[in-house]
Amino acid sequence: MDYEKIAQQILQLVGNKQNIISVNHCFTRLRFQLKDNNKANREKLLQTEGVISVVESSGQYQVVLGNKVTKIYDALLPLIGEINSIKQEQPKVSIGIKILNAFAAIFTPIIPAIAASGMLKGILAIAVIIGNYYSTDIKTYNTYIILHAASDAVFYFMPIILGYTAAKVFKAHEFISMIIGATLCYPSMVSLMTSKSEVTFFAIELTKANYTSSVIPIIIAVFILSYIQRFLEKIIPEVLKIIMVPTFSLLIMIPATLLIFGPIGIYIGEFINWIYYYIMGVSPILLGAFIGGVWCILVIFGAHRAIVPIGINDVAQTGRQNLLAFAGAANFAQAGAAFGVFFKTKNKNLKTVAASATVTALFGITEPAIYGANLRLKRPMICAVICGAIAGGLMGWGGSYGNAFANQGVLTIPVYAEAGTKAFLCYLIGIGFAFFGSCIMTMIVGFNDIPNEEASKTVETTSSTQLTSDTAIVSPVAGEVIALDQVKDEAFASGAMGKGIAVYPRVGEIVAPEDCTVTALYPTLHAMGIKLDNGIELLIHIGIDTVNLQGKYFQSYVHAGQHITKGTKLVSFDIDKIKQQFDLTTSIIVVNSEQYKNIEYCQQAQVSITDNLLVIHV
């Protein structure tokens, strides 16, 4: 199917991109907010390949496309271009989460380059040790100097690199942002800002600082640039924008960065480092134990990204960091706990997952160990936290540190050799204890093992099971039964999205009708998709136009990709508050209806969550 062609036809028939105020997708449909609905040609849209139905609801023009909606939506966006009001419906998040997400988006693209530089530094460290053993200083060799430059360049030119990634996040001009970063690293600028004499800009004294390898100043500068750029684009005539917007952006932002945002960024960075190292000075054992214990917990929530810049900044400024030494204790502990699961479990599938997760964790990738074994079984996770904390405390006591920002695994052990005999031995003993200690502790403490049949129901191993006989499905919600053709939403009532039935709920919760996997959970929580273990796929849509609540009055208890058992609560909602604004009729659709001979509907007036709602005939 040519998704781009379908997207082009839809765009043409709804008017053109100038007619679109906003567009998003919700499970099986595209939802257009149009300036002029009369321009949309309903009959021609219905004849378009892939279009199941066209519905006008709540002032929106909705094109029902079924399971192909995401691919068509992705093909549609480039054709529309930049529309400020285009956005997918998402729940509101706090300013703290927004900042955390922004930092993650800025740093994530450059982590591979930083990790590669760290690996190269580790190789060079081994080479130096070998050279010293043979009484040879390889640091004077041209080859070493070139490779050392390659390993250090990403840190030295960090403002330029972050200028680009921050511009992508804040939607500023990428190359203007990079020029600001390059200005901070320019050789004559570095010489000027590190000289002993006073530095002025139009007779205004500048705060002197070396911005090479800095992190926070350029991020703040690009954030402000994004607003300056948008302001300039509004006031400068179209014919002059291509020249004058970049020119005025630089004329405004270079002085502003050197006078205001640069010093602020430097002070913020110094303050964060001061707190970190103040705690380090009070008790390096406590700091090491804290990071070693909670690092992988922070990974679960993505919160570890908030403190990663400390390690990056330390390497950039001083050429060493201890943050990732302590984090290494956590990584090796996760590997050890997964290894303990491998020895202890009787489940073949879990044994395979634990074995592969152990290997990946030893190379610094802990997510398979965390989600595949340790967190899933709970006790191994606790063992890993305890052993990671003890190992981190030992490293803190020994003064362990690395000479590069390197992923914490077996390949980067040489990075920590430069710290000296005591510090390096404490690092080696620490990671050894973290691994073997958590492995042995997991085997001793044990865990509630997963039966073979349950383990096979993970997302990775779940496979579609074809029905061999007629099957009844109980209702996922208790309430009054309503025929699907009576639902006041044409997309459901027409059966275009699949056969099914509706229930007006009397209890504000949706439960799993059978053992199943949550295939989709919309951010506003008003709709979800589940796939039963017998292969039946259901769409449960709570109410009509309740997407407009943006998740208000809803609460979820599961996540997409999770396998759950019959009766597990999926979503709860406040009936009394929602029904004041919206029709709560809940549609239960068999999405893959075409695979079955017939679907019989419940004839009862009322159902509970233990009553049969649908019978699938094969």
Side-chain angles (χ1 to χ4, degrees):
M1 183 174 289
D2 190 338
Y3 297 109
E4 185 174 348
K5 182 179 179 181
I6 295 172
Q8 289 173 340
Q9 291 173 341
I10 292 173
L11 178 59
Q12 182 180 5
L13 291 170
V14 298
N16 54 42
K17 67 179 182 180
Q18 284 73 32
N19 190 43
I20 299 173
I21 299 172
S22 68
V23 59
N24 53 59
H25 69 88
C26 175
F27 274 96
T28 58
R29 61 183 79 184
L30 288 174
R31 307 165 71 100
F32 290 94
Q33 196 76 35
L34 303 176
K35 295 176 184 177
D36 183 1
N37 281 355
N38 293 327
K39 291 184 179 180
N41 192 321
R42 179 189 176 102
E43 294 303 320
K44 289 185 178 179
L45 268 174
L46 287 171
Q47 296 171 13
T48 302
E49 181 187 7
V51 175
I52 299 173
S53 179
V54 179
V55 182
E56 289 188 60
S57 179
S58 298
Q60 292 181 331
Y61 206 79
Q62 302 180 12
V63 182
V64 182
L65 299 163
N67 295 333
K68 302 173 289 293
V69 66
T70 302
K71 292 182 179 179
I72 296 174
Y73 176 77
D74 290 340
L76 181 68
L77 287 185
L79 301 176
I80 296 174
E82 293 291 334
I83 297 180
N84 290 335
S85 59
I86 291 181
K87 57 183 179 180
Q88 291 199 34
E89 297 158 354
Q90 295 178 342
K92 295 180 179 179
V93 295
S94 67
I95 186 66
I97 296 298
K98 287 182 178 179
I99 292 173
L100 187 63
N101 290 341
F103 264 81
I106 290 168
F107 282 98
T108 298
I110 65 172
I111 290 298
I114 292 173
S117 297
M119 290 292 292
L120 190 53
K121 280 183 177 287
I123 294 170
L124 292 175
I126 295 173
V128 170
I129 293 172
I130 295 172
N132 291 337
Y133 180 79
Y134 289 101
S135 302
T136 302
D137 184 9
I138 69 167
K139 292 183 179 181
T140 61
Y141 289 15
N142 291 340
T143 302
Y144 177 89
I145 294 170
I146 292 170
L147 292 177
H148 182 265
S151 71
D152 207 42
V154 67
F155 300 105
Y156 186 89
F157 295 108
M158 187 66 74
I160 302 175
I161 298 170
L162 290 181
Y164 178 80
T165 58
K168 299 290 281 187
V169 172
F170 299 132
K171 294 180 172 57
H173 194 290
E174 291 95 337
F175 293 101
I176 295 300
S177 301
M178 292 173 71
I179 289 174
I180 296 173
T183 302
L184 299 179
C185 299
Y186 196 71
S188 59
M189 176 66 73
V190 175
S191 299
L192 188 66
M193 298 299 284
T194 55
S195 65
K196 295 182 179 180
S197 59
E198 179 182 272
V199 181
T200 60
F201 184 84
F202 285 120
I204 302 173
E205 184 178 356
L206 298 179
T207 300
K208 293 173 65 177
N210 185 359
Y211 291 106
T212 60
S213 306
S214 61
V215 171
I216 298 179
I218 187 62
I219 294 177
I220 297 176
V222 175
F223 175 72
I224 300 299
L225 170 65
S226 65
Y227 289 95
I228 295 294
Q229 178 183 311
R230 285 193 280 272
F231 173 73
L232 292 173
E233 288 173 344
K234 286 182 179 179
I235 64 172
I236 293 176
E238 190 71 33
V239 68
L240 298 175
K241 281 182 181 179
I242 192 171
I243 297 174
M244 301 311 295
V245 170
T247 301
F248 280 112
S249 294
L250 286 176
L251 286 174
I252 293 170
M253 287 308 304
I254 294 298
T257 300
L258 294 174
L259 287 167
I260 304 171
F261 310 125
I264 289 174
I266 290 293
Y267 294 145
I268 290 174
E270 289 178 350
F271 179 68
I272 293 172
N273 271 334
W274 179 82
I275 292 176
Y276 183 85
Y277 281 99
Y278 176 78
I279 299 173
M280 185 75 178
V282 171
S283 177
I285 298 174
L286 179 62
L287 181 62
F290 176 75
I291 299 296
V294 306
W295 178 264
C296 286
I297 296 176
L298 297 176
V299 168
I300 295 171
F301 297 101
H304 67 298
R305 296 187 181 96
I307 58 176
V308 162
I310 294 176
I312 296 175
N313 192 65
D314 280 353
V315 173
Q317 298 291 337
T318 66
R320 61 172 65 178
Q321 54 77 24
N322 53 20
L323 173 67
L324 295 189
F326 304 148
N331 281 11
F332 279 91
Q334 291 295 331
F339 202 39
V341 171
F342 168 76
F343 283 115
K344 188 76 173 178
T345 184
K346 303 298 183 184
N347 184 286
K348 293 181 180 179
N349 290 327
L350 181 57
K351 190 179 286 288
T352 301
V353 170
S356 62
T358 300
V359 175
T360 56
L362 285 173
F363 284 88
I365 302 170
T366 56
E367 284 79 1
I370 293 173
Y371 297 111
N374 301 340
L375 184 63
R376 181 180 174 190
L377 299 171
K378 298 182 179 65
R379 290 181 189 173
M381 188 71 182
I382 295 172
C383 296
V385 168
I386 293 171
C387 292
I390 295 172
L394 176 63
M395 294 176 188
W397 173 80
S400 302
Y401 68 83
N403 64 355
F405 186 91
N407 195 25
Q408 315 91 29
V410 292
L411 295 180
T412 56
I413 290 175
V415 167
Y416 301 92
E418 192 178 282
T421 303
K422 176 186 174 182
F424 188 46
L425 281 176
C426 285
Y427 179 78
L428 292 177
I429 295 171
I431 60 175
F433 175 81
F435 180 79
F436 292 106
S438 56
C439 176
I440 295 169
M441 190 173 178
T442 297
M443 293 175 66
I444 294 173
V445 173
F447 48 84
N448 294 323
D449 204 359
I450 299 175
N452 280 306
E453 65 272 16
E454 183 178 341
S456 64
K457 293 174 183 176
T458 61
V459 176
E460 293 79 7
T461 59
T462 298
S463 58
S464 298
T465 302
Q466 297 298 322
L467 293 180
T468 56
S469 60
D470 295 350
T471 300
I473 302 173
V474 300
S475 179
V477 58
E480 177 188 351
V481 177
I482 300 173
L484 194 63
D485 59 9
Q486 299 301 308
V487 175
K488 298 175 182 178
D489 187 322
E490 189 176 339
F492 293 120
S494 65
M497 298 175 68
K499 296 180 180 180
I501 198 165
V503 176
Y504 193 94
R506 64 171 181 266
V507 179
E509 64 180 37
I510 305 294
V511 301
E514 303 290 341
D515 292 357
C516 62
T517 297
V518 181
T519 55
L521 183 64
Y522 205 66
T524 49
L525 306 180
H526 74 291
M528 66 219 68
I530 59 175
K531 184 174 184 179
L532 309 189
D533 287 355
N534 55 24
I536 298 171
E537 299 177 29
L538 298 180
L539 168 64
I540 303 173
H541 193 284
I542 305 169
I544 299 173
D545 297 326
T546 46
V547 64
N548 296 316
L549 286 171
Q550 295 292 303
K552 189 177 182 182
Y553 308 132
F554 289 87
Q555 182 176 353
S556 66
Y557 301 89
V558 296
H559 57 79
Q562 182 178 351
H563 185 272
I564 53 177
T565 56
K566 180 178 180 178
T568 300
K569 189 187 296 186
L570 300 169
V571 170
S572 64
F573 49 95
D574 192 321
I575 289 180
D576 295 331
K577 291 182 179 178
I578 296 176
K579 71 180 182 182
Q580 293 175 11
Q581 305 175 55
F582 297 97
D583 183 344
L584 263 173
T585 300
T586 298
S587 300
I588 298 97
I589 306 297
V590 180
V591 178
N592 56 343
S593 301
E594 70 282 355
Q595 295 182 12
Y596 306 111
K597 184 177 180 180
N598 189 29
I599 297 177
E600 191 175 292
Y601 315 112
C602 171
Q603 300 301 314
Q604 299 172 225
Q606 299 280 337
V607 289
S608 68
I609 58 174
T610 58
D611 294 330
N612 290 340
L613 185 67
L614 298 168
V615 177
I616 311 297
H617 295 277
V618 295

